[in-house]
Amino acid sequence: MALIIGTTVFINKNKIEAPENLSRMDTMRIGDRPLWFRPFTIVKVGVQNFGSGLVKDDTLAVLKRELYQAVEGINRGIFGLPSAKKFEIESLVQQLESQNPTPEPTLELDKRLVYSTITILRSKRTKLGLRDFISLDEFFQTIDIAKSKAVNVVEFSAKGLSLFSGQLSIEASFKIASATRVDINFESSTITPDQLMHVFRKNYNLLLGIFNPEGWLEITYVDDTMRIGRDNKGNIFVLKKIEDRSRNPQG
């Protein structure tokens, strides 16, 4: 721009099979059994309530650590990934979603995007100058709960006669549709500075079409530091809490 207490959850990894089309992860509406969840076999084993919360916390911490390691050095997946890497990341995402500790999530806290299935490939990447001339930097999201507003910021840096940096800011309003879903409406966008706007002017609609958040977002996992969501276009977004907007390293 988005539960099992007293039991231990094991994921039978032998049951995980890569879908035939790794580039497509189908998602159904809330209340239905999501197609992307079916490859997982979850076995609940009864244990004493004492200490079960700690076991789950430890499991989530391990999965999160593995996910952050998996997304290192991939530029959020924006320019595409090998099928094996994509499957590895999205398998970890599914395991976290299956153990979401917050069934009624919130959107608060500023976040930094660490992974998305949104991609800019082939001719789109060439048209936008994202091969040699312009680099994609950080992606941030700021939420104003009181005003029901969200601002997504995509940072760029460019090299020409001189080095300059800038950003695309997209402002949207949102309305809570259910305990886990928000409806999002695009409101405005700006590019600063003027030099960057000049670079993107010819293909501005293409750029905006890639990052426009309009639609709905299903929040599938939330804890104190991470949020995962899936939108109506089938995209996955993994965001990490940021303590400071000062150039945090990716992942």
Side-chain angles (χ1 to χ4, degrees), residues 73-226:
I74 65 166
N75 200 358
R76 294 156 292 266
I78 197 76
F79 297 129
L81 293 173
S83 296
K85 171 59 75 171
K86 182 179 174 69
F87 182 63
E88 175 192 3
I89 292 170
E90 294 180 18
S91 294
L92 290 166
V93 166
Q94 291 171 15
Q95 291 180 64
L96 283 165
E97 289 172 325
S98 72
Q99 301 184 58
N100 181 21
T102 315
E104 295 188 4
T106 63
L107 288 172
E108 58 190 320
L109 303 176
D110 291 351
K111 295 286 196 299
R112 177 170 55 89
L113 185 73
V114 297
Y115 176 73
S116 171
T117 52
I118 288 178
T119 55
I120 305 175
L121 305 175
R122 303 181 185 91
S123 61
K124 288 184 180 181
R125 185 175 180 182
T126 301
K127 286 180 179 179
L128 293 171
L130 296 174
R131 293 191 181 277
D132 300 311
F133 180 59
I134 302 174
S135 298
L136 277 173
D137 296 328
E138 296 287 7
F139 293 59
F140 295 103
Q141 183 179 81
T142 301
I143 304 292
D144 187 331
I145 297 293
K147 295 181 179 179
S148 295
K149 300 284 186 182
V151 177
N152 292 338
V153 175
V154 183
E155 295 184 342
F156 300 89
S157 58
K159 288 184 177 181
L161 298 176
S162 60
L163 177 68
F164 68 89
S165 60
Q167 64 183 38
L168 167 67
S169 297
I170 298 177
E171 184 171 328
S173 60
F174 63 86
K175 179 175 65 175
I176 296 174
S178 73
T180 59
R181 179 175 293 186
V182 292
D183 293 328
I184 303 169
N185 291 306
F186 168 82
E187 293 202 344
S188 64
S189 65
T190 57
I191 290 183
T192 55
D194 290 341
Q195 297 101 306
L196 190 62
M197 184 62 199
H198 179 72
V199 170
F200 286 126
R201 190 181 305 278
K202 183 178 179 180
N203 294 295
Y204 184 63
N205 288 337
L206 173 61
L207 181 69
L208 191 58
I210 293 169
F211 295 111
N212 187 349
E214 179 119 357
W216 53 255
L217 178 71
E218 189 82 11
I219 304 167
T220 55
Y221 179 92
V222 172
D223 63 23
D224 291 341
T225 61
M226 177 184 282

Side-chain angles (χ1 to χ4, degrees), residues 1 25 37 44-45 48 51 57 62 76 105 126 147-148 173 207 216 223 232-233 242:
M1 87 115 22
M25 301 294 289
F37 186 80
K44 300 180 183 179
V45 180
Q48 293 181 347
D57 288 345
V62 170
R76 294 156 292 266
T126 301
K147 295 181 179 179
S148 295
S173 60
L207 181 69
W216 53 255
D223 63 23
N232 57 296
K233 305 174 187 75
I242 51 175

